[in-house]
Amino acid sequence: MKQLPLFLLFFFCTGCYQVGSKQRNDSETEDSVARVRDSDSTLPIDEQHDSVFGQAHESDNALSGTEALDGDVANVPTIKPDVVQIDDLGTIYMMVKESNSVYRYSVVAGEWLPQINLGVIGSVQSMAVSNAHERLYLGFQNGQIMYTDLIDGNTIQQFAIANYSVDGFAAVGDYLLAEGREPNSTINYHWIFAEGGWQTDANMYGEYSRRYAWDPALGRVYFFEDSVSPSRLNYETIEQGEGLILDPRNATFKGDYETVPPIVISPDGRFIFLGSGDIFDGRRKNRFGSINTHVADAVWTIANGIVAIVEKGDNSELRSITMDGTVLRSEPIGGQPVAVVQHTDGNVYTVTLQDGNIKITGATIVDAALELARDPNIPVFTPTAIDVDNRGIVYLLIRAERSIYRFDTSTRSWLSPLVLDGTDIIQTMAVSKAHDRLYTGYRNGEVRYLELPDGETELPFTNIYNNSVEAIADVGNFILVQDDCHEWRNQWIFDSDANRTSLGGNGNLYSRAYSWDSVKSRVYFLRDGITPNDLLFEEIDQTSGKITMYGETPYSYQYDYEPPIVISPDGAHVLIGTGDIYSAETMELNNAISSDFIDAAWVNSDWIHMLNFSGINSEIFTISKDATVLKSEPVEGTPIELIQTPDGGVFAVTSLNGQIKVTASTL
């Protein structure tokens, strides 16, 4: 863990504003009170002050269809909110800096709730709904961090205080990200808090951003680098076990684009959509395309694609838009566009400013029933890892659900998913064909396995000194386990009895991809996280499990290196995601073919199957080593991965209408 800044004082429930018969909570520990007192800090709270909450107002009408509702002037904002979010209970929160208030509307009850007046605390700067904590967090210019409960929110309680203005917030899974800038400095901090109020990590190179977006599928928080020029889209991975910030300053998206809010994540976690209309591929960290329209706000729904509110003359329009910019449906909405939010029941609501008041309108272009309809055996999120066993069963790890979904390529059918019972956060998985096992790796260093094909209960295998398991790879008669202890990374080689046979990695190495060549007994991988990156290999003796040889390309800073890593059947050539083909004998660059592909399968020494986008769907095409496209076929859904089964079959894994689809290639 990084050394944390010492300028923050942490305490929870050391003061609260009271409403009705609720009293100040004195249940905090003596240690927490002592820490506050020892620091000579005082709480800027007048406990004799009247309630900060206004009065509730019941609407005269129920919200349905496109009917917009007016509320009591005292409870309805009359100027454009700075932040709009919705919680799982169906309450829309609208923070207005100018009036120093948070306005609330319940889409379930169809009424405006009491607004929260914050002037007695300070100048509010930021707001975030955390459904995991069941809290609404508020950040202030004077460094206060406060919260109110989502379920019974009739008090505002103190959470923490910083020396700097808290200018940004994001709910990041089980944690809270707060952002602030050191006065008269270009240094921006990202602080990570646990629900109890303690800081778990910090990044002094965090950036100020006008908007944050959390992706539960990959555990990433996306943000803009608004404090530098040119601004860029970036992300940090927030580890959900200890609340650590992973890969800071190493995830910037490349390309020429505008950083315009909002930031919207696709339901499967694969794509990121910006208010400029640009769409980015989260896997390859580059710009994928554009809908060629600026939007005021948007949500990305499972069945209806991108649902965006755009300005149209003096009014607004809500549109359902595909990834290539095709408008499927639209409906006019009165007033200036402010925001669009989606409730957990699938319904979408627009927020507009019309005739001096905020209007909340239910959308009719979204089919909520279709949003919620799904086969429980088919995953929705993009898999973190995909592998195939000796029988042609495809395994797809969904970290957000702690489950492994299964597809039988022989019967073309989905099997019931495996629910993991490991004691910590699942990180990765891999099939060992020689062991006939499915191995799983966890954040606490635990490696477990399931016996194939019928094993449904994980069995313990080993623990790599409590260091997170970041990758597992099949390396013939052995498995490779890559750890991450944040200061030093290793590659452990194990036999089927969990005996360690070798230790490699040269220290601080990790790779986004591993690929095993059974011809030369080599595992190929990248040198990610270190500049310059490179393509490397280790040869592993298949009797002893010892690493007998290391190798890498002879180049430095000359070429880019991206996954996937695909090996020719004869072991003579290695293709990587940039389209470059390297000689396995010399590790020199031999050839370059199209880099415009998502994944590939090398079916024989001369032909390569590639999977790529084709409009809003996919295409599998066969290409020769001299870059000649020989044939192609369309595939429904956006591309994820290309799987080659032991019998030579090739299957495309795509995402279609919010669900994962596996399609056999006929090429």
Side-chain angles (χ1 to χ4, degrees):
M1 183 187 298
K2 306 177 182 68
Q3 185 174 355
L4 306 182
L6 300 179
F7 51 76
L8 287 176
L9 307 173
F10 302 104
F11 42 87
F12 28 97
C13 273
T14 55
C16 67
Y17 292 92
Q18 53 185 331
V19 176
S21 62
K22 287 279 186 178
Q23 301 297 318
R24 173 173 171 170
N25 187 337
D26 291 318
S27 63
E28 68 270 16
T29 64
E30 287 298 320
D31 287 343
S32 68
V33 175
R35 284 198 296 273
V36 174
R37 290 173 181 168
D38 291 344
S39 66
D40 290 328
S41 70
T42 58
L43 304 180
I45 295 178
D46 177 4
E47 294 184 329
Q48 306 301 317
H49 199 280
D50 292 336
S51 166
V52 297
F53 288 82
Q55 300 300 311
H57 171 74
E58 293 187 7
S59 172
D60 294 332
N61 300 290
L63 181 64
S64 62
T66 61
E67 185 177 18
L69 296 181
D70 294 326
D72 191 340
V73 174
N75 288 318
V76 183
T78 58
I79 54 179
K80 183 178 180 179
D82 298 279
V83 183
V84 179
Q85 295 185 11
I86 189 171
D87 68 14
D88 286 348
L89 301 174
T91 301
I92 299 175
Y93 298 86
M94 292 157 276
M95 187 197 82
V96 180
K97 288 185 181 180
E98 185 173 329
S99 64
N100 226 25
S101 301
V102 174
Y103 297 85
R104 303 181 297 173
Y105 182 86
S106 171
V107 300
V108 176
E111 66 179 15
W112 289 91
L113 306 178
Q115 78 269 24
I116 308 174
N117 304 310
L118 303 168
V120 295
I121 304 174
S123 177
V124 68
Q125 300 295 304
S126 51
M127 180 189 82
V129 169
S130 172
N131 288 301
H133 297 179
E134 296 182 343
R135 293 173 179 172
L136 174 72
Y137 286 98
L138 299 162
F140 294 83
Q141 194 172 47
N142 59 13
Q144 300 276 3
I145 299 178
M146 312 289 289
Y147 73 89
T148 183
D149 292 331
L150 300 180
I151 296 176
D152 186 23
N154 54 5
T155 60
I156 296 182
Q157 304 183 42
Q158 199 152 24
F159 183 73
I161 186 169
N163 285 347
Y164 311 149
S165 174
V166 182
D167 296 328
F169 267 142
V172 289
D174 293 332
Y175 297 88
L176 175 73
L177 180 151
E179 175 266 315
R181 172 182 284 191
E182 187 175 336
N184 303 315
S185 170
T186 59
I187 296 177
N188 282 77
Y189 287 91
H190 283 179
W191 305 300
I192 307 299
F193 293 97
E195 183 177 1
W198 58 85
Q199 182 179 335
T200 60
D201 208 348
N203 177 17
M204 69 178 296
Y205 298 104
E207 300 291 345
Y208 162 71
S209 179
R210 290 162 289 166
R211 190 71 67 93
Y212 293 86
W214 172 246
D215 172 21
L218 299 180
R220 293 175 176 178
V221 57
Y222 290 89
F223 53 90
F224 295 133
E225 297 176 338
D226 284 331
S227 54
V228 299
S229 181
S231 178
R232 285 288 180 265
L233 176 66
N234 210 329
Y235 71 82
E236 294 165 343
T237 301
I238 309 301
E239 185 272 318
Q240 294 295 294
E242 300 178 43
L244 302 178
I245 300 174
L246 308 181
D247 52 46
R249 307 191 73 194
N250 192 40
T252 303
F253 284 71
K254 304 172 183 177
D256 183 17
Y257 54 90
E258 294 181 83
T259 52
V260 178
I263 304 172
V264 184
I265 314 299
S266 63
D268 59 11
R270 176 65 184 274
F271 298 103
I272 306 97
F273 173 69
L274 304 186
S276 60
D278 292 315
I279 299 174
F280 293 83
D281 185 339
R283 175 183 173 184
R284 307 190 75 173
K285 297 192 299 186
N286 59 14
R287 184 176 179 274
F288 162 70
S290 176
I291 67 168
N292 300 312
T293 301
H294 280 63
V295 306
D297 201 14
V299 293
W300 203 320
T301 67
I302 292 175
N304 297 274
I306 300 168
V307 178
I309 187 170
V310 300
E311 187 172 347
K312 189 172 184 181
D314 295 331
N315 292 294
S316 307
E317 186 173 78
L318 193 65
R319 299 173 182 171
S320 174
I321 310 172
T322 64
M323 290 178 63
D324 65 353
T326 301
V327 177
L328 300 177
R329 287 164 289 177
S330 66
E331 67 179 77
I333 305 292
Q336 177 187 355
V338 175
V340 57
V341 295
Q342 185 178 29
H343 185 28
T344 53
D345 64 6
N347 286 305
V348 169
Y349 301 86
T350 60
V351 182
T352 58
L353 181 62
Q354 184 178 9
D355 299 327
N357 282 314
I358 288 295
K359 305 281 187 178
I360 309 293
T361 306
T364 59
I365 66 169
V366 174
D367 188 336
L370 186 59
E371 290 288 320
L372 298 176
R374 58 162 294 196
D375 185 330
N377 291 333
I378 304 176
V380 172
F381 293 115
T382 294
T384 304
I386 302 175
D387 211 340
V388 62
D389 70 9
N390 293 317
R391 301 161 190 84
I393 296 177
V394 179
Y395 298 86
L396 307 97
L397 171 63
I398 308 298
R399 289 184 60 198
E401 298 179 2
R402 294 178 60 86
S403 298
I404 295 175
Y405 289 78
R406 302 178 295 171
F407 182 85
D408 190 333
T409 59
S410 61
T411 62
R412 307 292 199 269
S413 62
W414 289 93
L415 309 177
S416 59
L418 302 171
V419 179
L420 302 175
D421 53 8
T423 58
D424 202 61
I425 305 297
I426 179 69
Q427 293 291 99
T428 188
M429 68 153 204
V431 169
S432 168
K433 294 181 174 63
H435 300 178
D436 206 14
R437 292 174 178 171
L438 176 64
Y439 286 94
T440 54
Y442 288 83
R443 188 66 196 166
N444 61 3
E446 192 175 17
V447 179
R448 302 170 71 85
Y449 70 92
L450 297 100
E451 296 282 7
L452 301 178
D454 300 321
E456 295 185 355
T457 301
E458 288 179 284
L459 301 173
F461 183 73
T462 190
N463 191 299
I464 50 175
Y465 298 104
N466 297 316
N467 297 330
S468 176
V469 179
E470 296 301 302
I472 301 176
D474 180 359
V475 289
N477 295 329
F478 304 87
I479 65 165
L480 179 152
V481 178
Q482 176 200 294
D483 72 4
D484 182 4
C485 62
H486 308 296
E487 299 296 336
W488 202 255
R489 294 181 173 96
N490 299 290
Q491 294 168 341
W492 307 74
I493 310 299
F494 293 99
D495 65 17
S496 60
D497 295 322
N499 298 309
R500 194 190 82 186
T501 61
S502 194
L503 180 65
N506 293 327
N508 198 29
L509 292 181
Y510 89 95
S511 178
R512 288 170 287 166
Y514 287 88
S515 188
W516 174 247
D517 171 22
S518 59
V519 177
K520 297 184 181 300
S521 296
R522 285 182 181 181
V523 58
Y524 290 89
F525 53 95
L526 303 178
R527 188 165 61 194
D528 291 320
I530 296 179
T531 301
N533 202 337
D534 206 346
L535 174 66
L536 299 86
F537 73 82
E538 293 168 346
E539 286 192 8
I540 300 173
D541 184 279
Q542 290 298 289
T543 301
S544 67
K546 300 294 184 183
I547 298 174
T548 58
M549 182 184 294
Y550 298 89
E552 60 185 54
T553 74
Y555 311 109
S556 180
Y557 293 99
Q558 291 180 254
Y559 301 102
D560 292 327
Y561 301 89
E562 294 288 341
I565 302 171
V566 184
I567 303 165
S568 63
D570 59 6
H573 304 283
V574 182
L575 167 70
I576 63 174
T578 58
D580 293 331
I581 299 177
Y582 289 84
S583 164
E585 184 69 27
T586 65
M587 293 298 288
E588 295 178 346
L589 182 64
N590 265 2
N591 194 12
I593 57 177
S594 171
S595 62
D596 193 14
F597 68 96
I598 297 299
D599 202 7
W602 208 317
V603 293
N604 60 46
S605 296
D606 297 316
W607 291 357
I608 305 169
H609 284 339
M610 287 186 165
L611 177 68
N612 200 22
F613 288 95
S614 178
I616 60 174
N617 288 295
S618 304
E619 179 185 52
I620 299 176
F621 59 95
T622 302
I623 190 170
S624 65
K625 286 191 297 184
D626 64 1
T628 301
V629 176
L630 305 175
K631 47 189 174 180
S632 65
E633 65 178 339
V635 179
E636 286 188 316
T638 56
I640 297 175
E641 196 160 314
L642 202 59
I643 295 293
Q644 189 168 14
T645 57
D647 62 3
V650 174
F651 292 79
V653 181
T654 61
S655 178
L656 179 66
N657 294 330
Q659 291 191 329
I660 302 302
K661 183 179 177 65
V662 181
T663 304
S665 172
T666 60
L667 296 180

